[in-house]
Short mmCIF file of all heavy atoms in Angstrom, two decimals:
data_model
loop_
_atom_site.label_atom_id
_atom_site.label_comp_id
_atom_site.label_asym_id
_atom_site.label_seq_id
_atom_site.Cartn_x
_atom_site.Cartn_y
_atom_site.Cartn_z
N PRO A 3 0.82 -1.21 0.00
CA PRO A 3 0.00 0.00 0.00
C PRO A 3 0.86 1.27 0.00
O PRO A 3 1.87 1.34 0.68
CB PRO A 3 -0.80 -0.10 1.30
CG PRO A 3 -0.75 -1.54 1.68
CD PRO A 3 0.56 -2.05 1.16
N THR A 4 0.45 2.23 -0.81
CA THR A 4 1.16 3.51 -0.88
C THR A 4 0.94 4.26 0.43
O THR A 4 -0.19 4.40 0.89
CB THR A 4 0.63 4.33 -2.08
OG1 THR A 4 0.82 3.55 -3.27
CG2 THR A 4 1.38 5.64 -2.21
N LEU A 5 2.01 4.74 1.02
CA LEU A 5 1.95 5.41 2.31
C LEU A 5 1.14 6.70 2.24
O LEU A 5 1.08 7.35 1.20
CB LEU A 5 3.36 5.69 2.82
CG LEU A 5 4.24 4.46 3.04
CD1 LEU A 5 5.65 4.90 3.45
CD2 LEU A 5 3.64 3.54 4.08
N SER A 6 0.56 7.09 3.37
CA SER A 6 -0.31 8.26 3.40
C SER A 6 0.42 9.54 2.97
O SER A 6 -0.15 10.36 2.25
CB SER A 6 -0.93 8.44 4.79
OG SER A 6 0.07 8.60 5.76
N LYS A 7 1.65 9.71 3.36
CA LYS A 7 2.41 10.91 2.97
C LYS A 7 2.56 10.97 1.45
O LYS A 7 2.43 12.02 0.84
CB LYS A 7 3.78 10.90 3.64
CG LYS A 7 4.63 12.09 3.30
CD LYS A 7 5.98 12.03 4.00
CE LYS A 7 6.82 13.22 3.58
NZ LYS A 7 8.13 13.22 4.20
N THR A 8 2.84 9.83 0.85
CA THR A 8 2.99 9.76 -0.60
C THR A 8 1.65 10.03 -1.29
O THR A 8 1.59 10.76 -2.29
CB THR A 8 3.54 8.39 -1.03
OG1 THR A 8 4.74 8.12 -0.31
CG2 THR A 8 3.83 8.34 -2.52
N ARG A 9 0.56 9.49 -0.76
CA ARG A 9 -0.77 9.72 -1.34
C ARG A 9 -1.14 11.20 -1.27
O ARG A 9 -1.65 11.76 -2.24
CB ARG A 9 -1.83 8.88 -0.61
CG ARG A 9 -1.70 7.41 -0.87
CD ARG A 9 -2.92 6.62 -0.42
NE ARG A 9 -3.46 6.95 0.87
CZ ARG A 9 -3.13 6.38 2.01
NH1 ARG A 9 -2.21 5.43 2.04
NH2 ARG A 9 -3.70 6.71 3.14
N GLU A 10 -0.89 11.82 -0.13
CA GLU A 10 -1.20 13.25 0.01
C GLU A 10 -0.42 14.07 -1.02
O GLU A 10 -0.97 14.95 -1.67
CB GLU A 10 -0.89 13.72 1.42
CG GLU A 10 -1.90 13.24 2.45
CD GLU A 10 -1.61 13.80 3.82
OE1 GLU A 10 -1.69 15.03 3.97
OE2 GLU A 10 -1.32 13.01 4.74
N SER A 11 0.85 13.76 -1.17
CA SER A 11 1.68 14.48 -2.13
C SER A 11 1.19 14.23 -3.56
O SER A 11 1.11 15.17 -4.36
CB SER A 11 3.14 14.04 -1.99
OG SER A 11 3.94 14.70 -2.93
N LEU A 12 0.86 13.00 -3.87
CA LEU A 12 0.34 12.66 -5.19
C LEU A 12 -0.85 13.54 -5.55
O LEU A 12 -0.90 14.16 -6.62
CB LEU A 12 -0.08 11.18 -5.22
CG LEU A 12 -0.99 10.74 -6.36
CD1 LEU A 12 -0.26 10.76 -7.70
CD2 LEU A 12 -1.56 9.36 -6.08
N PHE A 13 -1.82 13.62 -4.66
CA PHE A 13 -3.04 14.37 -4.96
C PHE A 13 -2.82 15.88 -4.89
O PHE A 13 -3.52 16.63 -5.58
CB PHE A 13 -4.21 13.88 -4.10
CG PHE A 13 -4.73 12.57 -4.60
CD1 PHE A 13 -4.34 11.38 -4.01
CD2 PHE A 13 -5.57 12.52 -5.70
CE1 PHE A 13 -4.78 10.16 -4.49
CE2 PHE A 13 -6.03 11.30 -6.20
CZ PHE A 13 -5.63 10.13 -5.60
N ASN A 14 -1.85 16.34 -4.11
CA ASN A 14 -1.50 17.77 -4.14
C ASN A 14 -0.92 18.15 -5.49
O ASN A 14 -1.26 19.20 -6.05
CB ASN A 14 -0.51 18.11 -3.02
CG ASN A 14 -1.17 18.12 -1.66
OD1 ASN A 14 -2.39 18.25 -1.53
ND2 ASN A 14 -0.36 17.97 -0.62
N VAL A 15 -0.03 17.31 -6.02
CA VAL A 15 0.55 17.58 -7.35
C VAL A 15 -0.56 17.53 -8.40
O VAL A 15 -0.66 18.42 -9.25
CB VAL A 15 1.68 16.58 -7.68
CG1 VAL A 15 2.11 16.71 -9.15
CG2 VAL A 15 2.88 16.78 -6.76
N LEU A 16 -1.39 16.49 -8.36
CA LEU A 16 -2.47 16.37 -9.35
C LEU A 16 -3.42 17.57 -9.30
O LEU A 16 -3.88 18.03 -10.34
CB LEU A 16 -3.25 15.07 -9.14
CG LEU A 16 -2.56 13.78 -9.57
CD1 LEU A 16 -3.40 12.57 -9.18
CD2 LEU A 16 -2.29 13.79 -11.07
N ALA A 17 -3.71 18.06 -8.10
CA ALA A 17 -4.63 19.20 -7.96
C ALA A 17 -4.09 20.44 -8.66
O ALA A 17 -4.87 21.29 -9.11
CB ALA A 17 -4.89 19.50 -6.48
N ASN A 18 -2.77 20.54 -8.77
CA ASN A 18 -2.16 21.67 -9.47
C ASN A 18 -2.10 21.46 -10.98
O ASN A 18 -1.79 22.39 -11.73
CB ASN A 18 -0.76 21.94 -8.94
CG ASN A 18 -0.79 22.54 -7.55
OD1 ASN A 18 -1.58 23.43 -7.27
ND2 ASN A 18 0.04 22.03 -6.67
N LEU A 19 -2.38 20.24 -11.43
CA LEU A 19 -2.26 19.92 -12.86
C LEU A 19 -3.60 19.72 -13.56
O LEU A 19 -3.69 19.88 -14.77
CB LEU A 19 -1.42 18.64 -13.04
CG LEU A 19 0.02 18.69 -12.56
CD1 LEU A 19 0.67 17.31 -12.65
CD2 LEU A 19 0.82 19.71 -13.39
N ILE A 20 -4.63 19.33 -12.80
CA ILE A 20 -5.89 18.95 -13.43
C ILE A 20 -7.06 19.25 -12.48
O ILE A 20 -6.91 19.18 -11.27
CB ILE A 20 -5.85 17.44 -13.81
CG1 ILE A 20 -6.99 17.08 -14.73
CG2 ILE A 20 -5.79 16.55 -12.59
CD1 ILE A 20 -6.83 15.71 -15.38
N ASP A 21 -8.21 19.55 -13.06
CA ASP A 21 -9.43 19.76 -12.29
C ASP A 21 -10.08 18.39 -12.07
O ASP A 21 -10.41 17.70 -13.02
CB ASP A 21 -10.37 20.68 -13.05
CG ASP A 21 -11.66 20.98 -12.30
OD1 ASP A 21 -11.76 20.64 -11.10
OD2 ASP A 21 -12.56 21.57 -12.91
N PHE A 22 -10.23 17.99 -10.82
CA PHE A 22 -10.78 16.67 -10.51
C PHE A 22 -12.26 16.56 -10.89
O PHE A 22 -12.74 15.50 -11.26
CB PHE A 22 -10.64 16.34 -9.02
CG PHE A 22 -9.22 16.25 -8.52
CD1 PHE A 22 -8.98 16.12 -7.17
CD2 PHE A 22 -8.12 16.29 -9.36
CE1 PHE A 22 -7.69 16.03 -6.67
CE2 PHE A 22 -6.82 16.20 -8.89
CZ PHE A 22 -6.61 16.06 -7.53
N ASP A 23 -12.99 17.66 -10.77
CA ASP A 23 -14.43 17.67 -11.03
C ASP A 23 -14.70 17.25 -12.47
O ASP A 23 -14.20 17.87 -13.41
CB ASP A 23 -14.99 19.06 -10.75
CG ASP A 23 -16.50 19.10 -10.84
OD1 ASP A 23 -17.15 18.15 -10.38
OD2 ASP A 23 -17.03 20.09 -11.38
N GLY A 24 -15.47 16.22 -12.64
CA GLY A 24 -15.82 15.73 -13.97
C GLY A 24 -14.77 14.84 -14.60
O GLY A 24 -14.93 14.37 -15.72
N SER A 25 -13.67 14.58 -13.90
CA SER A 25 -12.57 13.80 -14.44
C SER A 25 -12.69 12.31 -14.11
O SER A 25 -13.29 11.93 -13.11
CB SER A 25 -11.23 14.32 -13.91
OG SER A 25 -10.98 15.62 -14.39
N ALA A 26 -12.08 11.49 -14.96
CA ALA A 26 -12.09 10.04 -14.80
C ALA A 26 -10.70 9.56 -14.38
O ALA A 26 -9.69 10.00 -14.92
CB ALA A 26 -12.50 9.37 -16.11
N PHE A 27 -10.66 8.63 -13.41
CA PHE A 27 -9.42 8.12 -12.81
C PHE A 27 -9.38 6.61 -12.96
O PHE A 27 -10.37 5.92 -12.70
CB PHE A 27 -9.41 8.50 -11.33
CG PHE A 27 -8.11 8.25 -10.61
CD1 PHE A 27 -7.21 9.28 -10.41
CD2 PHE A 27 -7.80 6.99 -10.12
CE1 PHE A 27 -6.02 9.06 -9.74
CE2 PHE A 27 -6.62 6.75 -9.46
CZ PHE A 27 -5.71 7.79 -9.26
N LEU A 28 -8.23 6.08 -13.37
CA LEU A 28 -8.03 4.64 -13.48
C LEU A 28 -6.87 4.23 -12.59
O LEU A 28 -5.77 4.76 -12.72
CB LEU A 28 -7.73 4.23 -14.93
CG LEU A 28 -7.40 2.76 -15.17
CD1 LEU A 28 -8.57 1.86 -14.77
CD2 LEU A 28 -7.03 2.54 -16.64
N ASP A 29 -7.12 3.28 -11.70
CA ASP A 29 -6.12 2.73 -10.79
C ASP A 29 -5.78 1.32 -11.29
O ASP A 29 -6.55 0.38 -11.10
CB ASP A 29 -6.69 2.69 -9.37
CG ASP A 29 -5.70 2.26 -8.31
OD1 ASP A 29 -4.55 1.91 -8.64
OD2 ASP A 29 -6.08 2.28 -7.12
N ILE A 30 -4.62 1.21 -11.98
CA ILE A 30 -4.19 -0.08 -12.51
C ILE A 30 -3.35 -0.79 -11.45
O ILE A 30 -2.56 -0.15 -10.77
CB ILE A 30 -3.36 0.11 -13.80
CG1 ILE A 30 -4.14 0.92 -14.82
CG2 ILE A 30 -2.94 -1.23 -14.39
CD1 ILE A 30 -3.35 1.26 -16.07
N PHE A 31 -3.49 -2.09 -11.32
CA PHE A 31 -2.83 -2.87 -10.26
C PHE A 31 -3.30 -2.30 -8.92
O PHE A 31 -2.49 -1.94 -8.06
CB PHE A 31 -1.30 -2.82 -10.38
CG PHE A 31 -0.78 -3.18 -11.74
CD1 PHE A 31 -0.41 -2.20 -12.65
CD2 PHE A 31 -0.66 -4.51 -12.10
CE1 PHE A 31 0.06 -2.54 -13.90
CE2 PHE A 31 -0.18 -4.86 -13.36
CZ PHE A 31 0.18 -3.87 -14.26
N ALA A 32 -4.59 -2.24 -8.74
CA ALA A 32 -5.21 -1.48 -7.65
C ALA A 32 -4.85 -1.95 -6.25
O ALA A 32 -4.84 -1.15 -5.32
CB ALA A 32 -6.73 -1.48 -7.82
N GLY A 33 -4.59 -3.22 -6.06
CA GLY A 33 -4.27 -3.70 -4.71
C GLY A 33 -5.38 -3.36 -3.74
O GLY A 33 -6.54 -3.66 -3.97
#
């Protein structure tokens, strides 16, 4: 499992790159 600190950073970076509202997300090798 991806650690919470890494997850928070991931979504902080994504929030600066893309608008989540109306967007589609794919989690490959979801675990």
Side-chain angles (χ1 to χ4, degrees):
T4 302
L5 300 176
S6 60
K7 180 180 178 181
T8 306
R9 291 193 316 269
E10 286 184 63
S11 179
L12 163 69
F13 285 98
N14 286 340
V15 170
L16 286 174
N18 288 316
L19 298 173
I20 193 167
D21 182 10
F22 297 172
D23 187 40
S25 294
F27 189 98
L28 176 61
D29 186 356
I30 305 175
F31 308 100

